Amino acid sequence: RNILGWRSTALQAAADRLAGRLPRLAVERFSAPLTPDLFARDGFHPNSHAHSVWGEKIAALARPLVA
């Protein structure tokens, strides 16, 4: 879990650097707390409930752009 956490942090840092170089990229960070009910049995990956929550948030951000 620690190794995967470190890797996740490194990947996020790389994504943040890339986002800074792309002028048309919009980045929205969700502030929902990461509670145990959002994780799969492995305790690392998101479960279907987490994907549903994130999908709703992404759709809310996208609706004004396609309306």
Side-chain angles (χ1 to χ4, degrees):
R1 186 178 289 192
N2 287 339
I3 291 170
L4 292 176
W6 295 332
R7 183 66 178 146
S8 174
T9 299
L11 288 171
Q12 185 62 56
D16 291 342
R17 287 191 303 274
L18 179 61
R21 294 181 12 218
L22 299 172
R24 293 182 177 254
L25 180 70
V27 176
E28 181 70 29
R29 298 203 187 266
F30 304 132
S31 60
L34 295 175
T35 56
D37 65 311
L38 296 175
F39 289 92
R41 284 189 206 148
D42 65 6
F44 183 79
H45 293 95
N47 62 18
S48 61
H49 177 60
H51 285 284
S52 176
V53 169
W54 294 339
E56 289 296 322
K57 290 181 179 283
I58 291 167
L61 291 169
R63 276 187 204 107
L65 302 174
V66 297

